[in-house]
Each structure stands twice: as C-alpha cells, then as structure tokens.
Amino acid sequence: MSGTLALASAIAEMDRSELERLVRRRRPQAPAGVADPIGLASELLRPEAILRALTPLRGEALGGLLRLAQGEIRDGDETILDALRADGLVGIEQHRPVALPEVTEALHQALRAAGTDPDALARPRPAGGTSDARTIRPPETAGPAAVAEEHTAAGAPDEDEGSWVTAALTAVGHAAECLRLLRSRPLRLNRNGSAAVAAVRALAESIGIEAAQATHALTAIARAGLTAPVATALLVTSEAESWLAADHRGRWSALAVAASSAMPEPLRDALGGSNALAAAAASLPRRYPLLPAPELAAVDDFLADAEYLGLSSRGSLSRTGALLLRGERSRAQRLAEELLPDPAPGVYVQPDLSVIVPGPLDPRDEAALAALTAPEHIGAASTRRITEASLAEAFADGTAPEEARALFARVSLTGIPQPLDYLLGSLAERVGGLVVSESLDGGGRTRIQVARPELADTLAVDRALQHLQLQRIDDTTLASRLRVDHVLTALSDARYLASRSQPSRPAPAESGSPDEAGSPDEAGTAADETGPRGARAPAGAAGRGSPTAAAPGMSRAAEPPPLPAALAELVERVHAAARAEPGSGDFTRRLELAIRDRATVRVTAEARGRLHEFVLLPVSLNAGRLRASDPAAGVERTLPVNLITAVEPA
C-alpha cells in the first residue's frame, strides 16, 4: 500500500510558510514536474529522498516513527510526530497522523544496515538511562571520539588554561607562516579541489612543522576566508593581509570564530549547554543512529581542529571556546585578550645565527624578521635561523642591508653577534652590484644593470647563463628576452648575488584576471611570478573546510535566503492546487493518484437519492468533472465530482 495519498493530504493542509519550509528542507530533485500535492508527495517518497531525510534525525524521532507504524503512540510522541509531519515523513488520514509505508520500510532497512535493532529503538528510553538500540554498530564507524566515552557533562575535567593558550599561540604561528609561504608559492590542488598530499608535506617541511599540523592550519585559514581555491592552486585572499597585520589576539579570534561557526550541527545539538566536547561526540552514534560515517568522521576532524586551535583542551571546551559556541563573541574576545600574553619585547640572536623568539611579536617586527630568516620550529616559542640564503633572498626582494642591520639591532635582546655582523657586512659589499628589472624600452623583457663593466663581460661569456641569450646594451647594461624570474633564478644558480628592482605598479584587483594569470604557455610559472599578491580569490570563493552555515547566535542571518526560482515556483503551484480542488479533497486526491498511476478505482456517486457504483479508469479531472472509461461497459463516463461520495481501490 502506498503512502502517497496520506502524505499528499498532509501537504494539502500546509500553509504557504509550512510548505516553503518543507521544500527548503527536502529539496525535491525534479521540481519542474511537480504541480500538486500528489506530485510533491511522489517526489518526497522516492527511496533516496526518504533516506536523506532520515539520516539527520535523532533516535527519539526515529523511535516515534517506528511506534506510529506499530500503532503505539505514547505520551510525548505528538510533538515528535508534528515535527515529522512538517518534514514530510508522516501522513494524515481523517485528521490523524499515519505512518507512510515507504518511510517505514526505508527506516527498517537503514537501521538494519547501521546495526540497530528497530524494536529496541522503538522502546522509550528509561528515565536517567540510555537506549540499548545500538547493538552491533561496527567499531570502525564509531570514530576515534569513542575513546572519550568516560567524559560526561557533569564530570568533565577542569580546564587547563595553559594548554589552550599554548595551542592558540602555536596555531596562530603556523597559520601566519602558511600564509606567508602561500603568497609566494601557491599550494597545488587536486582536481577535486583538495590539497595534494605531496604539496602539504612540502609546505610543512618548508616551515618546520608536521604535515598534520599543516593540514589543521590550512583548514583554519580556509574557514576564516584567508585562502581560496582558484583553478588548481590555493591562493591567499585580500583578507589575509589585514589578518597578518593584526596582533596575535586578533588573529586567534578570527580563526576561532570561523572554526566555532563550522561545528557540525549534530555535535552542537549533542553538546547542549555542556563543555564536554569529546563526550558529546562519543554520544552521537546513539543520538543519531543513521548518521553516516562521513559525518561522524567530520565530527572527529572538528574535535582535532578544536584541540589544535585551543577551542578545547583534553576533550573539554576552553572558557573562550564555550563563549564562542554560545555566540558571546565580545566576552570571548575580552577573555582571550586577558589570557593571551602580551607581545614579547624582543628576540635572542645567538652566535650560531639561530634566533630564539620567546613569544608572539609585534606584527611588523614579525613580518620583517620572517623575511630575513628561515623557520626551524614554530610554536608558542619559536626558533628561526639566519642564513646567507635567507638574507640574500630578502635583499633580492628589495630589503636594503642597512634595514636588515637596523632591525636586528632593534629587536635583538642580545645585540648583533660577531658572526651576524660579518655576514651582513660581507653580503652588503655584493648587494647592488647586480640589479634585475623589467625592461621598459623594448630592448628585451628583462634588464640587467651591473656596477662594473668587467662584471658585464663575465656575465656575457658565462656558459651557465648562455640560455638567457644576454645582449649587451652598453658597458653596464645587459638585456634578456626571458622573464625576470627566470633571469633571477639562473643568476642565483650560477652563484651571482642579484637583487630585483621593484617598479611601481597599480594595486592588484580583488580577483585575478586572465592577464594576471599569464598566457597559456606561461601557466606553469604564472602563479610563481605573480603569486597570491597579484591574484586574489573571486568574491564568494570558499576554501577547503569553509563553513556552509553560521552557528546560532553567531553570524547567521535572521531570515533564510530565498528559495531558488524552481523551488519557489513549485511552492506556488502546489499551494494553489491544494486550494483549487473542487469537492472533497480526499476524493479528488484519490482520483488524481489513480490518473497518475493509471489504476482503476471503485467510485460511488449519489444521484436523485440513489447510490450508483462504478469501476472506472480515471482519465482526467477538470472543471469539477471526472472523465473516466468504464472497462466493463465499454463506454466513457463523465461524473460531477460533487456527486461522488466514495473513492476506493478497485
């Protein structure tokens, strides 16, 4: 027996707002073919549509469906059934809720596949106890959160504030290093938009962190809108510069707010007012018996992200994390400002050219130091190293030797040790003797200016530079038709210390254009040349792991976005059809269903005080009249709908 008629009756009783909510939640796959409640009911009773609607339901709601099918409605089930009717999972007959056979069958199959006993789930949970419905849940689908079963809302461990502060400072440091590297070297993405494993590993090695930490950092900055995928590369967005210009407190707040907004809704529901995050995650297989394994895995990923960012510590929300999840951003920010340390007064430059950074620095000092050093260890306290290569790269990017010396003299709490003084002096003697810039006079794509004519002679005959096809312009000027980056790389490989002249250019647009990306034959180097400084993500682009909806009390809009045009038109058609039916709604819906299914029905009509019964194959229903063929008599009959007193299956 089909539940289409019962569901169509429930749909016909909905007002416009209820109907819109139903369509928004269930999202019919073929809206153009739906013209009336019967059509919408048929769409919603497709097996795949039913399963999508069942999987996010809590165990109490599933138990209510099972008890309704068994005819055992209990106290408290009315509220559950009202919600399920609004979701198109319960029908109506004679103004009473009824189970839909298609939903009941799909629910039993899904519960068996998930290892849940339907009879146990249908039994009400004992007061103060737990349901025994999950009897054979495969351990691999429960997720690593199950190890935190011993944490409870009442007995969560006291928060260790020091641990979340350390985690927060470490995460901010990792995120900043990732963004600085991505500005010059965009991350390669797979065709599905995920970060390539090898690319993540290379990024982690470049900044001295573990690959798992790099993955967490990339997720955090993507959620905060600091990166966005463009084609097959992950680029920084315009928001990244303002984030890097903020202090460590502001940076952490931005990452934490974005992460808290991305908490999976089942976990948010299970958490309630508790701080026991791991315990809430461990309870999900019981609360949501049909929650798919990928969603359970997403919950476990969120737990790891929360620990990484300092939103939680050892399975329990930190005080700041709890405030953010309750939507109290201002209080959370004030608490973070109180608990996170002030910027460190300086760094310790060692004779071995290592730099000990005891804590977060002023953003400008941090950026300048990062440009002159290479990261070795990034954490709440970090270690960086000064090398000839790091200084040469900074000088090539436009930093003057005098600026580097002034920075070290200002931020170093130990002064400038003799090895660093020697290295700065040695490099200063060679900087400025070889300057590479874009050619503006048509003599070639790149212009090379040297300090002495003999250096120009050396470059012109150096076999390692033959592929540059250098052309002599005058005694101290050479030109090459290759790009600036190619020339700089070749000179570096040949052990010439060259710096790059930075011509003044207009500010880049917010989104990358074809010209910025380079011509097709230069696609392999366009990202390296312009990098994310010149290519910004298009408006609305979202990085991996970005949230799809804001959390309650955070930045969620008061009104839901408008329905897509196709779904809005569906709502109008169904709402109008439900109110335009002549005669008895139940009879006309039965006839419409028979027309749709090409099924015969037994129709009883009253005329002049006498009842007449026909077995008919309905053909059409229009203008208050039923047109149908009578197979037994071999004729076509037309009956006024207002004379029909009963319609039953033949």
Side-chain angles (χ1 to χ4, degrees):
M1 178 180 176
S2 171
T4 305
L5 186 61
L7 180 55
S9 297
I11 292 172
E13 292 187 4
M14 295 181 178
D15 60 28
R16 191 188 304 272
S17 61
E18 291 175 321
L19 188 58
E20 181 176 327
R21 177 184 177 278
L22 171 64
V23 170
R24 186 184 300 278
R25 288 178 66 88
R26 296 292 300 272
R27 296 275 174 167
Q29 297 299 301
V34 176
D36 50 35
I38 290 286
L40 180 55
S42 299
E43 275 292 313
L44 299 185
L45 289 178
R46 294 177 182 271
E48 63 275 12
I50 295 173
L51 188 58
R52 283 198 306 271
L54 290 175
T55 51
L57 294 183
R58 293 183 61 170
E60 293 87 341
L62 300 179
L65 278 175
L66 293 170
R67 289 191 292 274
L68 179 63
Q70 297 168 359
E72 300 178 358
I73 298 179
R74 302 172 186 250
D75 291 343
D77 280 353
E78 290 81 3
T79 301
I80 293 175
L81 296 179
D82 283 344
L84 293 172
R85 178 191 60 81
D87 284 347
L89 294 171
V90 168
I92 289 180
E93 285 185 359
Q94 298 178 352
H95 306 290
R96 294 180 61 86
V98 294
L100 305 175
E102 296 89 341
V103 173
T104 302
E105 178 61 24
L107 177 56
H108 276 83
Q109 290 181 2
L111 289 173
R112 294 190 193 102
T116 298
D117 180 7
D119 292 335
L121 187 62
R123 290 194 292 271
R125 182 175 299 181
T130 58
S131 170
D132 59 350
R134 300 203 68 80
T135 55
I136 52 174
R137 178 77 177 188
E140 63 272 18
T141 61
V147 300
E149 191 73 38
E150 69 277 7
H151 293 275
T152 62
D158 292 336
E159 173 196 341
D160 179 2
E161 289 189 353
S163 62
W164 88 257
V165 168
T166 299
L169 295 177
T170 301
V172 166
H174 291 172
E177 289 297 330
C178 285
L179 287 174
R180 277 191 282 265
L181 186 62
L182 291 175
R183 286 190 303 190
S184 58
R185 292 191 304 183
L187 189 74
R188 181 171 58 85
L189 301 178
N190 295 320
R191 290 185 178 181
N192 63 2
S194 64
V197 174
V200 174
R201 188 182 301 116
L203 179 144
E205 292 175 354
S206 298
I207 60 179
I209 64 176
E210 299 293 330
Q213 294 174 320
T215 299
H216 287 306
L218 289 171
T219 299
I221 60 180
R223 281 177 174 152
L226 307 181
T227 60
V230 177
T232 58
L234 186 68
L235 307 181
V236 299
T237 65
S238 56
E239 288 78 8
E241 297 302 327
S242 59
W243 185 88
L244 285 169
D247 66 8
H248 57 287
R249 297 183 178 103
R251 292 178 182 178
W252 182 81
S253 293
L255 299 181
V257 166
S260 62
S261 298
M263 174 182 278
E265 286 303 322
L267 180 58
R268 190 183 300 276
D269 171 65
L271 187 63
S274 166
N275 288 346
L277 189 63
S283 72
L284 289 181
R286 293 192 305 274
R287 286 177 171 266
Y288 296 89
L290 297 182
L291 201 63
E295 293 197 33
L296 290 172
V299 168
D300 290 329
D301 290 342
F302 180 84
L303 291 183
D305 288 338
E307 290 281 328
Y308 172 77
L309 284 171
L311 287 174
S312 65
S313 176
R314 296 183 295 180
S316 293
L317 288 174
S318 63
R319 282 198 289 161
T320 48
L323 289 172
L324 284 173
L325 290 172
R326 290 200 297 265
E328 300 181 43
R329 288 192 188 180
S330 298
R331 288 186 60 192
Q333 188 164 0
R334 287 196 300 269
L335 183 60
E337 290 175 355
E338 174 187 335
L339 297 178
L340 292 174
D342 292 331
V347 301
Y348 300 92
V349 180
Q350 306 296 307
D352 64 354
L353 298 184
S354 63
V355 180
I356 309 300
V357 185
L361 296 174
D362 175 87
R364 289 168 297 182
D365 290 343
E366 176 192 273
L369 187 65
L372 295 167
T373 60
E376 285 193 343
H377 167 75
I378 301 299
S382 304
T383 303
R384 311 186 70 89
R385 185 164 296 278
I386 305 167
T387 66
E388 180 172 344
S390 68
L391 292 177
E393 183 177 355
F395 295 161
D397 287 341
T399 300
E402 298 78 12
E403 294 175 340
R405 182 181 292 276
L407 173 71
F408 286 121
R410 179 165 51 84
V411 303
S412 176
L413 300 175
T414 52
I416 299 180
Q418 192 274 333
L420 176 58
D421 182 69
Y422 174 80
L423 181 59
L424 289 171
S426 174
L427 289 174
E429 294 179 355
R430 290 179 279 161
V431 169
L434 190 56
V435 179
V436 179
S437 63
E438 292 185 17
S439 177
L440 303 177
D441 57 5
R445 296 189 65 170
T446 299
R447 181 185 183 92
I448 305 170
Q449 191 73 39
V450 299
R452 305 182 309 277
E454 55 268 25
L455 179 56
D457 296 337
T458 302
L459 295 175
V461 299
D462 193 328
R463 297 176 61 87
L465 303 177
Q466 282 185 347
H467 65 287
L468 297 181
Q469 301 178 7
L470 297 176
Q471 301 174 0
R472 195 70 173 262
I473 304 300
D474 55 41
D475 289 346
T476 59
T477 307
L478 299 168
S480 171
R481 293 193 175 275
L482 297 186
R483 301 160 63 106
V484 170
D485 279 359
H486 292 168
V487 173
L488 283 170
T489 300
L491 291 171
S492 177
D493 290 343
R495 298 187 177 277
Y496 292 98
L497 184 59
S499 59
R500 178 174 185 166
S501 175
Q502 301 287 354
S504 176
R505 292 186 180 277
E510 284 300 304
S511 60
S513 65
D515 290 339
E516 289 175 324
S519 58
D521 62 318
E522 297 165 353
T525 58
D528 288 336
E529 177 184 349
T530 61
R533 294 188 182 95
R536 297 291 185 238
R544 182 175 60 85
S546 57
T548 58
M554 304 294 283
S555 57
R556 177 178 289 168
E559 294 294 332
L563 283 173
L567 295 181
E569 293 168 1
L570 178 154
V571 169
E572 292 301 321
R573 290 195 301 270
V574 173
H575 185 263
R579 279 140 189 83
E581 292 174 344
S584 170
D586 284 345
F587 293 162
T588 55
R589 280 190 286 275
R590 289 181 187 274
L591 293 172
E592 288 169 350
L593 185 59
I595 294 171
R596 178 182 292 271
D597 295 343
R598 297 182 181 179
T600 57
V601 291
R602 191 178 304 277
V603 177
T604 301
E606 182 180 3
R608 298 176 182 177
R610 298 179 57 187
L611 295 177
H612 302 271
E613 189 175 275
F614 308 94
V615 176
L616 303 176
L617 179 63
V619 175
S620 68
L621 189 65
N622 189 32
R625 306 180 72 84
L626 168 68
R627 187 168 63 88
S629 63
D630 187 335
V635 298
E636 185 176 277
R637 299 185 185 276
T638 301
L639 301 176
V641 173
N642 59 3
L643 299 182
I644 296 175
T645 60
V647 178
E648 300 173 347

